[in-house]
């Protein structure tokens, strides 16, 4: 069986879980406490990050971006990047936007401070990072709303890796009650659409010791 | 003519210049002082980063990772990612290693502190960041040396995007005299091979006000 090493509240791991599920590829999840630097895991992925995917034939693929490119090449039936050069550029531009800019401005300031610092035993969240995170999140929600209003899905007429990437980041923040969905009705409507997909169900069932998600987290008609 | 918006000491811009040159695609370079947030440039690339590539047909591609994937798909003649799934995974794993881990541990601590802070007017380098950068660089040079000794090129038997990515980062550090090539003879030999390629020549001719590169910087037999 294909194995995915992951952490439940990592947006990068959630993205890969969504891609695998959308492509209907079965896999077994294994939680990897990367900060413990387990030797067998370092041999598998010297960068000591999650996610890492191990295929049944032994091929080991670390890094969510590398995994997603690999999965779209190896299992092309349900294409998630796009068919034309322009579509592929737009999907990857938005993936880089959410994994780069959104991550630096929002995810690290909120999830990084509230969750990652706690599980890694690095103390309390920094108040100014949280303030920055909440402010930047409003701007990003407006951008997502604008994209969702002018297109069917974030990168165009097809549901793509851009939607799954953005939704993976937002799902981690939403789990911790950090998303004010009143900022953009269009972003909220887009997220409700993504969240209703069968691929999302396992993410909504994740539970993490010490965090109670808000009532709307797993509610498809929130 | 194809246009590349860039900054001379950005490893990400240098990587794209190398890819374009390896694929023999002509382009015009335009320096973009991204911190000035020029409106016309924001319309082109809302993330306000360099590089961004504008094709003759108007297709605009921001982000070095997106540009390199695009170029290898649109101009596949001289393949830079690999032919098999395993090769493509290994090339992209190393690209993610250098653009992620090496960048965070080395490039940002050295180039980020010494050059980027200065041009953006953010003051003097932080001594502890510099110490971390030099220490981590030694470990990375040993890793590069180990890869170069066990394979012909970093990702295997083909020169690939992994070599160009690593060399782009190192060339920026070498320009500022930050690389102690005595750490690894194999890394030094590999870098001399990459540096001798015609695609590297324009990088070696770059000059930046206020920085005099060391004598060996443009010397092919250093």
């Amino acid at each position: 069986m294909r194995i995915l090493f992951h952490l439940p509240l990592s947006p990068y791991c959630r993205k890969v879980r969504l891609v695998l599920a959308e492509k209907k590829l079965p896999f077994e999840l294994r939680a990897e406490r990367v900060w413990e630097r387990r030797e067998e895991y370092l041999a598998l992925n010297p960068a000591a990050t999650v996610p890492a995917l191990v295929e049944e034939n032994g091929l080991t693929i670390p890094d969510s971006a590398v995994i997603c490119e690999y999965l779209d090449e190896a299992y092309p039936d349900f294409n998630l990047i796009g068919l034309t050069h322009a579509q592929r550029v737009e999907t990857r531009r938005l993936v880089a936007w959410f994994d780069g800019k959104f991550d630096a401005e929002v995810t690290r300031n909120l999830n990084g401070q509230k969750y990652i610092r706690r599980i890694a035993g690095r103390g309390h969240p920094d108040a100014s990072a949280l303030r920055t995170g909440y402010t930047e999140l409003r701007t990003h929600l407006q951008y997502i709303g604008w994209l969702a209003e002018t297109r069917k899905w974030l990168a165009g007429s097809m549901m793509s890796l851009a939607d799954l990437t953005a939704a993976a980041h937002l799902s981690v923040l939403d789990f911790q009650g950090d998303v004010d969905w009143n900022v953009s009705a269009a972003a909220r409507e887009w997220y409700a659409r993504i969240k209703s997909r069968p691929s999302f169900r396992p993410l909504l069932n994740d539970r993490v010791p010490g965090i109670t998600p808000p009532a709307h987290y797993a509610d498809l008609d929130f």
Side-chain angles (χ1 to χ4, degrees), chain A:
Chain A
M1 173 73 97
R2 184 179 288 116
I3 296 165
L4 182 69
F5 291 92
H6 88 129
L7 282 169
L9 290 193
S10 150
Y12 298 95
C13 298
R14 289 187 157 213
K15 168 161 70 164
V16 173
R17 289 163 71 189
L18 292 172
V19 170
L20 287 164
E22 288 288 346
K23 289 182 176 282
K24 307 210 188 312
L25 299 169
F27 62 100
E28 186 192 314
L29 267 183
R30 291 219 191 134
E32 180 64 39
R33 299 161 64 87
V34 286
W35 54 94
E36 292 178 355
R37 300 183 65 81
R38 193 166 62 86
E39 237 170 76
E40 295 89 330
Y41 191 69
L42 291 179
L44 210 78
N45 178 10
T49 54
V50 279
L53 183 72
V54 182
E55 285 278 38
E56 271 190 3
N57 66 6
L59 183 62
T60 301
I61 311 122
D63 188 282
S64 74
V66 181
I67 297 172
C68 292
E69 289 289 341
Y70 162 74
L71 290 173
D72 223 45
E73 287 176 357
Y75 307 98
D77 276 0
F78 182 47
N79 179 301
L80 285 172
I81 300 184
L83 300 171
T84 65
H85 288 312
Q87 280 173 353
R88 295 174 74 77
V89 165
E90 183 60 0
T91 301
R92 289 184 177 128
R93 177 186 81 81
L94 287 170
V95 170
W97 179 279
F98 291 109
D99 282 348
K101 196 171 166 64
F102 186 98
D103 184 76
E105 294 171 353
V106 183
T107 309
R108 284 190 214 183
N109 282 324
L110 300 180
N111 187 52
Q113 290 291 329
K114 292 170 77 168
Y115 177 64
I116 305 291
R117 274 171 85 107
R118 185 167 67 80
I119 55 169
R122 292 202 202 115
H124 290 292
D126 173 69
S128 103
L130 294 180
R131 265 196 308 277
T132 304
Y134 288 121
T135 305
E136 298 286 349
L137 176 53
R138 295 181 68 88
T139 313
H140 278 283
L141 282 173
Q142 282 156 358
Y143 184 54
I144 290 169
W146 177 81
L147 290 170
E149 261 176 342
T150 47
R151 304 159 169 192
K152 189 169 171 201
W153 295 97
L154 297 189
S157 58
M158 271 175 48
M159 201 284 298
S160 79
L161 192 57
D163 299 283
L164 302 181
T165 305
H169 281 274
L170 284 167
S171 76
V172 167
L173 303 172
D174 201 36
F175 187 82
Q176 294 167 85
D178 279 342
V179 186
D180 176 2
W181 291 107
N182 294 318
V183 169
S184 164
R188 182 196 188 112
E189 186 276 329
W190 159 83
Y191 188 65
R193 256 191 294 148
I194 279 275
K195 196 171 147 179
S196 306
R197 298 176 77 86
S199 66
F200 228 85
R201 176 70 31 206
L203 274 58
L204 299 178
N205 292 334
D206 275 353
R207 288 298 173 267
V208 172
I211 305 181
T212 308
H216 72 255
Y217 173 70
D219 176 5
L220 301 185
D221 301 310
F222 76 120

